[in-house]
Amino acid sequence: MVGIHAAAPMIRLLIADDQTAVRQALEVMLDLVEDLDVVGTAANGQEAVELAAELSPDVVLMDLNMPVMSGAEATEHIVKANEEISVVMLTTFEDDESILRALRAGALGYLTKDADHLQIAQAVRSAHLGQSVLNPEVQIRLLRLASSMVPGGGASASSPAASSGPGLVSSLLTQREKEILQLIGAGLRNRDIAGTLTISEATVKTHINNIFTKADLHSRADAVRYALTVGVDAPDSTR
């Protein structure tokens, strides 16, 4: 078995991939990890939705492009039905459109299939704790996207705080909070944000708490989706 502290709680994992060889390899490989318990596998998005409802896994490891129902659509159904389930996308695609589609659907993590079993296992653990998981290539893409966000992006009906209107960010967040929200959307962690903005990690946490309160967000995943779906308007407030 792949070593992990014996007292670590078991994480119930559902694997969804339409390629039989990939699905079976992931099942065997990840079931050997001491704190992971593969409770089921699905060959398409519809099966993933049905098994998630039946088995209530902690985390779903989801392929993006699958028959019957895509991974993004399945993710949206799963997280809407049970907010306790986290989804990590594991796919061969790392283009901007695929990444945004997955994160907007509610995926908490996004890995490409060149990740090894240790990286996948750690991503599953992090997602189980509610932490966003992105591989370095995806982080770079999201950082570029965040830097080029167009002011005035409209909120979708499914995005956090959409009921407050698309002008919420512009009217309530300070410029520093907008900068931090952009970096959260790019997948950066608190210490990386602190280094990028040359401020303390404690200050970053304070700003994030303010963002969560003002935008009615409840998790870092909400903040990522908010930044990518609603966008961050041009600055108008003081820091």
Side-chain angles (χ1 to χ4, degrees), residues 76 99-107 142 145-146 149-162 165-166 169 181-182 184-186 217 221-233:
E76 190 169 3
I99 295 167
L100 290 175
R101 185 156 39 111
L103 295 178
R104 285 170 176 167
L142 286 179
L145 282 172
M149 280 180 179
V150 178
S156 69
S158 61
S159 64
V169 172
L181 182 57
Q182 282 186 326
I184 290 173
L217 306 176
D222 281 349
V224 171
R225 290 193 291 273
Y226 190 95
L228 296 175
T229 306
V230 179
V232 181
D233 294 349

Side-chain angles (χ1 to χ4, degrees), residues 60-66 70-80 85-112 132-135 138 141-142 145 158 160 185 220-226 228-229:
V60 180
L61 192 62
M62 183 84 73
D63 190 15
L64 184 60
N65 283 356
M66 293 188 289
S70 72
E73 188 178 356
T75 296
E76 190 169 3
H77 283 289
I78 289 170
V79 299
K80 187 176 294 185
I85 299 176
S86 299
V87 178
V88 174
M89 205 65 68
L90 181 65
T91 178
T92 57
F93 301 94
E94 55 178 286
D95 59 283
D96 296 349
E97 182 181 353
S98 296
I99 295 167
L100 290 175
R101 185 156 39 111
L103 295 178
R104 285 170 176 167
L108 195 54
Y110 196 105
L111 298 177
T112 51
S132 178
V133 184
L134 303 168
N135 72 2
V138 171
R141 283 187 173 275
L142 286 179
L145 282 172
S158 61
R220 202 175 188 90
D222 281 349
V224 171
R225 290 193 291 273
Y226 190 95
L228 296 175
T229 306

Side-chain angles (χ1 to χ4, degrees), residues 7 18 32 40 46-48 54 59-60 98 113 126 128 134 171 182 191 201:
D18 64 314
L32 290 174
Q46 182 61 48
E47 284 187 14
E54 176 185 344
V59 180
V60 180
S98 296
K113 286 184 177 177
S126 297
H128 182 46
L134 303 168
S171 62
Q182 282 186 326
R191 67 172 178 272
E201 195 167 342

Side-chain angles (χ1 to χ4, degrees), residues 124-174:
V124 169
R125 295 185 194 108
S126 297
H128 182 46
L129 295 174
Q131 299 170 355
S132 178
V133 184
L134 303 168
N135 72 2
E137 293 79 8
V138 171
Q139 283 192 352
I140 291 170
R141 283 187 173 275
L142 286 179
L143 183 56
R144 289 171 180 165
L145 282 172
S147 299
S148 61
M149 280 180 179
V150 178
S156 69
S158 61
S159 64
S163 59
S164 300
L168 178 74
V169 172
S170 178
S171 62
L172 295 184
L173 297 189
T174 67

Side-chain angles (χ1 to χ4, degrees), residues 8 11 20 47 56 70 110 112 117 167 193 203 209 214 228 238:
I11 300 172
T20 303
E47 284 187 14
S56 296
S70 72
Y110 196 105
T112 51
H117 70 286
I193 294 173
T203 299
N209 287 335
K214 292 176 180 180
L228 296 175
T238 61

